[in-house]
Amino acid sequence: MKSCVHAIVFIILMISYLWSSSVASIETSSLASSAHRGPPRCPSQLQSLPGGDVKLLCDTVVESVRELTGYDRVMVYKFHADEHGEVVYESKRPDLEPYIGLHYPATDIPHASRFFDEALVQPLCLVGSTLRAPHGCRAQYMANMGSIASLVMDVIINGNDGEGVGGRSSMRLWGLVVCHHTSARCIPFPLRYACEFLMQAFGLQLNMELQLAAHALEKRVLRTQTLLCDMLLRDLPTGIITQSPSIMDLVKSDGAALYYKG
């Protein structure tokens, strides 16, 4: 039922976008032509993908966003535990240099962009603003990368801190879907709204995939622990080094040594 509702809402948004593209005189010919390449993948198709494959899910998202918006490059940017970012998936124009696998320091993307007005008692927070001018350092950052236009969308999943405020589940920023273009590009509101809806569906699906992966990892760890403990109980301690699985399958290490009976 939810898939049908998502599909209907997405179709309505796309009809609105196509209509606005046909009547708006300010739309560029490149954006208008992108609307005639056929309908992009809708959120219901994300839900129909086979489970247990985060790569396929992310690849589908970057291809869908690029087909939908016409940007030269679309990337999935993942935040690690130390808050630095990594480009983990990418769809780009063939002649562009690939960014996939590149890592960026946490300082490249601050927690929040805040704009201050001396006349205000408190700072004006524009974190939730859909459109706002980029910070000067970001404009220079984009220029260094040869990008003129960009579109950035949050990827939100459930947090790991239990319940949030008011009994609701806490949320956290898993990463970003970042679009770059080498020339000026104007994205109308219906299309931006469709992308936002797609990101919501992506976040929900990604959250389920990450939970499944975490449960599978927990099972593997428990199974390995059981086998290693069984070796110790059978007075075969060297097995935790020489057998498979070994102690190195339980902890992240390049090697292991056993000190036994002096």
Side-chain angles (χ1 to χ4, degrees):
M1 180 63 70
K2 289 183 179 180
S3 298
C4 294
V5 173
H6 289 168
I8 293 172
V9 173
F10 192 79
I11 291 172
I12 294 174
L13 291 171
M14 288 308 302
I15 292 174
S16 176
Y17 161 61
L18 293 174
W19 177 82
S20 65
S21 297
S22 63
V23 300
S25 60
I26 62 172
E27 290 298 320
T28 62
S29 59
S30 60
L31 187 56
S33 64
S34 68
H36 293 88
R37 288 200 294 256
R41 296 183 175 115
C42 62
S44 61
Q45 289 182 290
L46 296 182
Q47 298 173 344
S48 67
L49 293 173
D53 194 339
V54 175
K55 182 182 185 305
L56 177 61
L57 175 64
C58 292
D59 283 342
T60 301
V61 166
V62 293
E63 292 293 344
S64 298
V65 172
R66 186 164 175 243
E67 179 184 358
L68 185 62
T69 63
Y71 273 87
D72 292 332
R73 185 196 307 270
V74 178
M75 300 167 286
V76 172
Y77 188 94
K78 175 185 175 182
F79 293 117
H80 289 268
D82 62 356
E83 298 185 353
H84 91 273
E86 178 188 2
V87 179
V88 290
Y89 303 97
E90 179 184 49
S91 175
K92 66 179 184 66
R93 216 174 60 196
D95 59 309
L96 295 179
E97 178 186 359
Y99 289 165
I100 189 167
L102 296 182
H103 293 250
Y104 299 90
T107 53
D108 274 12
I109 301 181
H111 286 289
S113 296
R114 296 177 182 269
F115 294 81
F116 298 89
D117 189 327
E118 294 179 357
L120 297 176
V121 177
Q122 294 182 345
L124 177 63
C125 178
L126 295 179
V127 174
S129 176
T130 302
L131 294 176
R132 63 177 183 265
H135 194 279
C137 65
R138 172 162 176 78
Q140 183 61 50
Y141 176 80
M142 294 294 296
N144 293 339
M145 300 174 72
S147 296
I148 304 301
S150 69
L151 177 66
V152 180
M153 295 168 283
D154 297 341
V155 181
I156 307 294
I157 65 171
N158 289 340
N160 299 320
D161 302 326
E163 291 189 348
V165 179
R168 296 175 297 178
S169 297
S170 62
M171 311 298 287
R172 71 179 180 91
L173 183 64
W174 178 87
L176 303 169
V177 172
V178 181
C179 308
H180 287 179
H181 206 65
T182 54
S183 60
R185 193 163 191 79
C186 177
I187 301 299
F189 173 75
L191 184 52
R192 295 198 309 269
Y193 194 83
C195 289
E196 181 181 353
F197 189 75
L198 181 60
M199 289 302 101
Q200 293 176 0
F202 175 44
L204 290 172
Q205 194 71 13
L206 178 63
N207 188 71
M208 289 189 293
E209 293 294 343
L210 294 176
Q211 287 182 345
L212 288 174
H215 292 158
L217 176 61
E218 184 178 356
K219 283 185 176 181
R220 289 197 300 271
V221 169
L222 290 175
R223 183 167 59 250
T224 302
Q225 286 178 332
T226 301
L227 292 172
L228 295 178
C229 289
D230 184 59
M231 293 178 189
L232 295 175
L233 291 174
R234 289 189 288 115
D235 200 23
L236 296 172
T238 57
I240 66 173
I241 300 295
T242 60
Q243 300 294 324
S244 180
S246 70
I247 191 67
M248 288 188 294
D249 295 311
L250 194 60
V251 295
K252 294 181 180 180
S253 63
D254 295 325
L258 174 67
Y259 184 78
Y260 180 59
K261 288 186 178 181

